[in-house]
Amino acid sequence: MTYINLVLIGFMGSGKSSVAKSLYQKTKKLILDSDKIIANNENLSIPEIFSSKGEDYFRKCEKDFCYFVSKNIQNCIIATGGGMPLFCDVKIMGKVFFLHLDFDNILSRLSKKEIQKRPLFENKNQALELYLKRLETYKSNADIIINANQSLEKISQDILESL
Ligand code: S3P
């Protein structure tokens, strides 16, 4: 088994946190979830960070997270925030898996409550525009593109088989 970090990237609602948990069940590697760690460090929720400190501040926290992981962490599962590949070089953290999910499936996965946790998902049409705009960046930052329109079991199996 490899000691390299497994880095999950993808749009909001593409299942990074759920896939991370499924990978944990199979490998027992620890999960580091960038949003959860940043929110905990700042003692604020993600929407609170956006509204009180601004998106630029949040992106700086993501950059710091990415750099710290690249220098100090190995053998973990890294669940990233959906915007991280746009602002940071995610490849420095480990092997990058893009969870590629159709926008319709993303919409059907996200409850109202889940949407409220995501300041950049407030408007469905704008979210679709962002999704389309970001696709190329996700693809070009990925070592492996995973079809995430499948069961969690199959997704995590595909990831582990590619190692
Ligand atoms: C963002 C995605 C969110 C969170 C923040 C910004 C984005 O994470 O980091 O709201 O720019 O796509 P999830 O991908 O876990 O929703």
Side-chain angles (χ1 to χ4, degrees):
M1 189 56 95
T2 167
Y3 286 104
I4 199 165
N5 293 318
L6 310 182
V7 182
L8 306 177
I9 65 167
F11 200 65
M12 295 172 265
S14 59
K16 291 160 296 197
S17 301
S18 308
V19 172
K21 284 179 194 148
S22 173
L23 287 172
Y24 167 75
Q25 292 301 332
K26 293 181 188 301
T27 64
K28 297 299 169 199
K29 292 176 192 285
L30 292 185
I31 300 171
L32 301 186
D33 183 312
S34 65
D35 279 350
K36 291 198 176 113
I37 289 173
I38 292 168
N40 191 54
N41 289 347
E42 296 292 323
N43 206 19
L44 292 169
S45 68
I46 300 294
E48 284 167 348
I49 298 174
F50 269 68
S51 62
S52 68
K53 300 195 167 185
E55 182 176 347
D56 287 353
Y57 180 82
F58 175 73
R59 298 306 177 191
K60 160 89 171 56
C61 296
E62 285 191 311
K63 266 189 212 154
D64 291 346
F65 172 92
C66 188
Y67 186 71
F68 186 90
V69 169
S70 76
K71 292 288 172 208
N72 299 287
I73 304 290
Q74 59 174 359
N75 207 19
C76 283
I77 299 158
I78 313 292
T80 63
M84 203 189 262
L86 285 294
F87 299 91
C88 317
D89 181 7
V90 288
K91 280 191 171 197
I92 62 175
M93 291 191 287
K95 187 156 183 171
V96 179
F97 298 88
F98 167 35
L99 305 186
H100 191 0
L101 187 65
D102 297 337
F103 190 74
D104 283 347
N105 285 340
I106 288 178
L107 274 185
S108 67
R109 285 181 43 118
L110 286 177
S111 64
K112 236 185 184 163
K113 197 169 151 224
E114 287 299 317
I115 288 179
Q116 275 164 3
K117 288 188 204 161
R118 295 170 164 92
L120 299 180
F121 210 116
E122 275 157 13
N123 176 307
K124 219 197 282 180
N125 292 332
Q126 278 173 12
L128 173 60
E129 241 176 67
L130 198 60
Y131 171 90
L132 295 172
K133 207 166 109 186
R134 285 179 173 180
L135 265 183
E136 257 332 292
T137 307
Y138 292 135
K139 286 182 184 164
S140 64
N141 275 279
D143 292 302
I144 311 240
I145 298 174
I146 298 288
N147 174 10
N149 304 284
Q150 315 183 84
S151 68
L152 272 182
E153 176 65 24
K154 180 73 170 69
I155 295 169
S156 51
Q157 198 182 318
D158 285 356
I159 291 175
L160 295 175
E161 275 171 8
S162 75
L163 292 177

